Amino acid sequence: MTVTAARPAMAVPDHARATKDFRRVLGHLPTGVVVVSARTADGPIGMAVNSITSVSLEPRLVSVCAARTSSTWPQLRRAGRFCISILADHHESASRQFATPGVDRFAGLTWHDRPGGPALDDAVAWLDCEPYAEYAAGDHTIAVVSVVDLAAVDDRRALVFFRGQYGHFVPNNQA
């Protein structure tokens, strides 16, 4: 006969505290910062995103996560194509502007047209994309998008978000 010791019951964490801890701990993973934008009949629209990742080389896919409460993501999806601008280290104010609801997110910014939509000038790179698949995931939507065209500028530093602050990455051989 095998006897096993009973495990002590895990305490159920306070929801607000657990959410704060989750955000703080995952903040230790640096993320890139992008703007996803499209053209609509009412003009350009866009939103800031820091949850983006490469998914597949063949076909070329990336994922973007948007809050399920976002009013911008459904408009981007309906546009049928959009541009992802990978922000440069000087785009912190643009990132904040695109994260603010109820403002003209393109005000005071310079941008140019790409096949997918408006692309922020002086970004590190641009991905022209089309919707591929979507998945409900808790309080977010995971959108997998197909990359149909892309471009990059190699002499710029990307904007990075880490522990609740903006910064940039410097490779070890350039530090």
Side-chain angles (χ1 to χ4, degrees):
M1 175 159 92
T2 304
V3 176
T4 58
R7 291 184 177 181
M10 291 182 62
V12 176
D14 169 37
H15 181 72
R17 171 96 175 139
T19 299
K20 182 178 176 183
D21 286 347
F22 187 74
R23 182 181 294 252
R24 181 185 59 78
V25 169
L26 290 181
H28 285 70
L29 176 65
T31 62
V33 185
V34 304
V35 164
V36 183
S37 57
R39 286 185 288 280
T40 69
D42 297 326
I45 60 166
M47 67 181 195
V49 173
N50 76 333
S51 51
I52 178 173
T53 191
S54 172
V55 173
S56 170
L57 293 174
E58 189 56 45
R60 298 185 302 187
L61 302 172
V62 297
S63 67
V64 176
C65 296
R68 293 185 74 177
T69 57
S70 171
S71 60
T72 306
W73 174 247
Q75 296 176 67
L76 289 164
R77 180 191 328 106
R78 277 192 304 273
R81 61 172 48 175
F82 38 86
C83 180
I84 298 174
S85 297
I86 299 175
L87 301 185
D89 62 357
H90 66 276
H91 280 130
E92 178 180 340
S93 63
S95 172
R96 292 181 188 281
Q97 189 167 318
F98 275 90
T100 304
V103 301
D104 177 356
R105 293 178 174 170
F106 288 87
L109 299 174
T110 58
W111 53 277
H112 59 280
D113 275 319
R114 287 197 46 91
L120 293 186
D121 287 348
D122 301 323
V124 172
W126 304 271
L127 307 169
D128 296 308
C129 302
E130 296 176 345
Y132 183 83
E134 278 192 13
Y135 306 94
D139 58 5
H140 277 66
T141 296
I142 300 170
V144 177
V145 302
S146 175
V147 178
V148 296
D149 197 15
L150 61 142
V153 179
D154 292 332
D155 65 347
R156 295 186 187 133
R157 291 187 176 164
L159 184 63
V160 175
F161 196 69
F162 177 67
R163 293 187 186 170
Q165 297 182 342
Y166 289 95
H168 63 263
F169 173 76
V170 179
N172 284 339
N173 64 354
Q174 294 178 14

